Amino acid sequence: MSLLNQRLREVHHLLSRKELSVTELVDASFKRIAETEERIGAFLTLDEEGARNTARQLDEGSAEGAGLLYGLPVGIKDNIVTEGLRTTCASKFLANYNPIYDATVVTKLKEARTVTVGKLNMDEFAMGGSNENSAFHTTRNPWDTDRVPGGSSGGSAAAVAAGQVYFALGSDTGGSIRQPAAYCGVVGLKPTYGLVSRFGLVAFASSLDQIGPITKNVEDAAFALQAIAGHDERDSTSANVEIPDYAAALTGEVKGMRIGVPKEYLGKGIDPKVKERVLEALKTFESLGAVWEEISLPHTEYAVATYYLLASSEASSNLARFDGVRYGVRADNPENLLDLYRRSRSEGFGNEVKRRIMLGTYALSSGYYDAYYKKAQQVRTLIKRDFDQAFEKYDLIIGPTAPTTAFRIGEQVNDPLTMYLNDICTIPVSLAGVPAISIPCGLADGLPVGLQIIGKPFDEASVLRAAHAFESHTDHHKLRPAL
Amino acid sequence: MSISVKDVEHVANLARLALTEAEKEQFAGQLSAILKYAEKLNELNTDGIEPTSHVLPLYNVMREDEVKPSLPHAKVMANAPEEEDGQFKVPSVLE
């Protein structure tokens, strides 16, 4: 078995005693990338030289006091800035952008002494659910290379599923960590809004964006979250809460836990085979002593419309910074400043980004603000109340991560609305700001199905505990694509 | 809500985008469809419901007014498409 598929504690044991060098582990990562990358295309930028230098420095230094992430090869989604390492957001606009500082999560991973292998593909500016909106290439699903890996963190999920990196960071605005994790048969955790600093995450929709890990199993997710969570004075929306010991929550014990299963997540539009896997997973929880009941989150059907109005509005404002003045694309021979803005933006942005900027600008424009933007913010309140009320009675909410398994490349590309509906089970969770994990719960027609476990605000510990208990009693997470 | 090409041109101007004729046609159709779908929200009575702008109970996060190191000037200019004398250069704004 590849070193990158071995359990973290085993790898750590070898690394910390110097029975295995970081260089050997990084070699294994680049060897696997060489074998698979032509078929998968998970990366936008590889940093072999930088990774090998870091590995050598770690090998020359002491492993004393090494944390669990010491020496692990990791991949970073390309909307998280890395000093001196090209960061494009998969946009032509930033094709040559070289960040001058590290995102806080990158600094934290460096402090944990991980090794950054490269930057991972995504939908342009994180807008999309298939990776087809990358301006550079479409990443392929390791389970079936004719299918999408999901998105927007599709490169992150595909790289972990293909065993190219030990784990990866992604970002989630409406499902962009959880949905690709589900499609690629790996674990993806979206923390509570505010748990992880967004300093250095290129902003898409600021009231929703959150960084989280994509890993092969729940234990790794707990370790990775431990490393990146916490208040950051550079992000005024990061929450000042105490960070618990997440690994300590992995007791395998879910006896007496109360689980609500929203009927809206298993109704219309959900593939019957996906539903079957979810119901089987609920039986597993039942056998472990948890109790589940059907509940209703009555405003679920309004979530997608609410999300697209709010996220696009915020995006239209956030992406105003791409003006061709300080970095990025600048149009040739502008007639005047206005022409410079217009043409630089039009040359640099792809179709979906323009569409969302247009939608958001419209929703915020004079005469339509109350009807669209404010209305959507009010409906967001109702959606959040659904969750607040459910969590008065239940510890967790469980359902599918996505209504179907991975679709074929090109299948939905001309139909934005259908594409948006793939996020029906993840978007309400993002709007409520609560934490959720997607874990593998079996296959449907040979493709992975994701189980979504949703928790109370800042109760990642319970989410991880339940996910880990499920994993400990099933083998779904051990399935790997035949590449 | 139906979005005309003229509406698209107005919004594109606000958003500082220069769209081709084909893009204008395409966005008119697609934005109409998306906004029609969004009208679903009107099924809900939201009278008296507070809008949620974000979910954290945070207001006016303050910090001490202390001088801290900033990014070095040369670094900040490193990605500039055009610069002169350590400043970002743009076309003249005034005639």
Side-chain angles (χ1 to χ4, degrees):
Chain A
M1 185 165 65
S2 158
L3 285 164
L4 292 165
N5 279 325
Q6 276 188 35
R7 279 174 55 97
L8 205 159
R9 284 185 197 281
E10 289 160 17
V11 174
H12 179 70
H13 183 77
L14 298 173
L15 282 171
S16 59
R17 292 169 168 230
K18 301 250 177 193
E19 286 166 22
L20 170 71
S21 71
V22 177
T23 298
E24 285 172 278
L25 194 57
V26 169
D27 279 344
S29 175
F30 281 104
K31 181 165 171 272
R32 185 65 180 159
I33 291 168
E35 286 166 3
T36 54
E37 184 61 0
E38 204 176 311
R39 281 169 289 158
I40 302 304
F43 285 90
L44 287 172
T45 307
L46 281 166
D47 185 21
E48 189 157 355
E49 197 191 329
R52 289 190 189 283
N53 281 340
T54 308
R56 197 174 48 242
Q57 282 164 18
L58 290 176
D59 285 333
E60 284 166 1
S62 161
E64 198 111 349
L68 278 163
L69 303 188
Y70 169 82
L72 298 182
V74 300
I76 312 282
K77 187 178 180 181
D78 210 27
N79 59 349
I80 298 172
V81 300
T82 42
E83 184 175 356
L85 184 57
R86 191 176 78 123
T87 299
T88 69
C89 293
S91 178
K92 269 201 290 185
F93 199 100
L94 296 174
N96 299 308
Y97 179 66
N98 219 341
I100 56 174
Y101 61 90
D102 279 327
T104 296
V105 289
V106 172
T107 304
K108 287 189 170 212
L109 285 186
K110 282 184 177 172
E111 285 165 4
R113 292 190 271 175
T114 63
V115 181
T116 301
V117 164
K119 303 301 291 287
L120 292 157
N121 200 14
M122 53 187 279
D123 289 287
E124 183 178 3
F125 288 109
M127 297 177 189
S130 70
N131 254 248
E132 291 166 294
N133 295 335
S134 167
F136 302 108
H137 63 261
T138 299
T139 298
R140 291 166 179 274
N141 191 315
W143 290 82
D144 176 351
T145 52
D146 289 334
R147 290 177 191 268
V148 302
S152 64
S153 311
S156 302
V160 173
Q164 296 178 330
V165 292
Y166 204 88
F167 73 91
L169 292 186
S171 72
D172 191 312
T173 304
S176 281
I177 288 174
R178 292 160 285 161
Q179 182 255 32
Y183 283 5
C184 291
V186 292
V187 172
L189 173 65
K190 182 202 88 78
T192 307
Y193 179 80
L195 185 73
V196 176
S197 165
R198 285 108 43 93
F199 178 74
L201 172 69
V202 179
F204 159 18
S206 306
S207 80
L208 298 156
D209 296 340
Q210 186 61 196
I211 295 171
I214 294 183
T215 60
K216 293 183 298 293
N217 58 54
V218 175
E219 202 179 43
D220 293 2
F223 296 137
L225 181 65
Q226 198 78 52
I228 60 172
H231 180 251
D232 178 10
E233 63 172 21
R234 287 171 149 166
D235 174 4
S236 61
T237 58
S238 77
N240 208 340
V241 293
E242 202 172 313
I243 307 299
D245 179 352
Y246 295 117
L250 309 182
T251 58
E253 185 61 54
V254 291
K255 206 168 175 172
M257 263 187 151
R258 295 158 305 168
I259 298 168
V261 178
K263 63 178 185 202
E264 293 83 3
Y265 289 21
L266 290 171
K268 210 171 53 179
I270 307 294
D271 181 331
K273 285 177 183 162
V274 168
K275 183 173 174 176
E276 229 173 87
R277 293 294 95 80
V278 172
L279 293 175
E280 285 164 14
L282 289 168
K283 280 210 183 98
T284 302
F285 278 110
E286 224 174 72
S287 73
L288 298 174
V291 286
W292 70 271
E293 282 174 343
E294 188 176 280
I295 62 167
S296 176
L297 300 173
H299 296 95
T300 300
E301 62 174 306
Y302 302 99
V304 172
T306 301
Y307 172 83
Y308 278 93
L309 290 172
L310 295 180
S312 301
S313 297
E314 294 183 26
S316 74
S317 171
N318 274 324
L319 271 63
R321 76 190 55 181
F322 299 106
D323 56 7
V325 172
R326 290 152 300 153
Y327 41 71
V329 164
R330 168 175 287 206
D332 289 332
N333 307 315
E335 279 173 36
N336 51 41
L337 191 58
L338 196 58
D339 186 50
L340 170 81
Y341 294 154
R342 283 192 185 132
R343 282 177 35 225
S344 300
R345 290 163 64 76
S346 300
E347 287 169 23
F349 292 148
N351 200 264
E352 179 67 20
V353 173
K354 287 180 191 166
R355 184 159 43 239
R356 297 213 200 177
I357 290 174
M358 291 289 290
L359 176 63
T361 305
Y362 182 84
L364 292 175
S365 67
S366 174
Y368 297 103
Y369 179 90
D370 281 358
Y372 291 107
Y373 184 70
K374 190 176 165 208
K375 181 80 182 181
Q377 284 192 314
Q378 288 174 310
V379 179
R380 184 176 184 181
T381 303
L382 299 176
I383 291 165
K384 185 173 178 296
R385 278 185 197 166
D386 284 354
F387 282 89
D388 292 344
Q389 280 160 12
F391 283 129
E392 282 170 19
K393 272 189 79 178
Y394 302 94
D395 303 303
L396 298 168
I397 295 171
I398 290 184
T401 304
T404 65
T405 53
F407 48 91
R408 287 180 192 283
I409 292 170
E411 194 175 320
Q412 299 183 2
V413 80
N414 292 317
D415 186 357
L417 209 48
T418 302
M419 188 78 95
Y420 295 172
L421 290 169
N422 295 322
D423 302 331
I424 184 98
C425 305
T426 48
I427 277 176
V429 181
S430 296
L431 290 168
V434 295
I437 199 168
S438 178
I439 58 172
C441 68
L443 303 178
D445 298 326
L447 295 169
V449 176
L451 183 75
Q452 187 176 209
I453 304 176
I454 306 159
K456 296 174 186 174
F458 300 107
D459 192 15
E460 278 75 6
S462 295
V463 171
L464 288 162
R465 178 152 66 104
H468 174 255
F470 178 79
E471 207 179 71
S472 307
H473 291 87
T474 54
D475 286 327
H476 305 303
H477 66 290
K478 292 180 185 155
L479 294 173
R480 289 283 160 257
L483 255 180
Chain B
M1 193 72 202
S2 181
I3 302 292
S4 66
V5 167
K6 211 172 151 229
D7 295 327
V8 168
E9 286 170 348
H10 169 66
V11 175
N13 178 47
L14 294 175
R16 301 292 185 254
L17 290 170
L19 302 179
T20 64
E21 293 306 315
E23 281 176 323
K24 288 178 196 169
E25 289 287 343
Q26 188 200 31
F27 286 155
Q30 288 175 339
L31 293 179
S32 297
I34 294 167
L35 288 169
K36 187 163 176 285
Y37 177 71
E39 273 165 30
K40 195 177 172 51
L41 301 188
N42 294 331
E43 293 168 12
L44 294 170
N45 180 356
T46 51
D47 290 350
I49 303 286
E50 278 293 308
T52 296
S53 53
H54 72 102
V55 296
L56 293 176
L58 283 175
Y59 305 94
N60 297 337
V61 178
M62 303 292 194
R63 62 169 173 78
E64 292 305 311
D65 185 15
E66 288 165 3
V67 178
K68 289 185 180 174
S70 304
L71 289 164
H73 192 103
K75 252 184 156 180
V76 172
M77 302 305 295
N79 282 287
E82 221 181 323
E83 71 158 303
E84 196 175 300
D85 300 334
Q87 298 172 68
F88 298 105
K89 194 174 174 189
V90 293
S92 63
V93 179
L94 300 170
E95 295 297 317

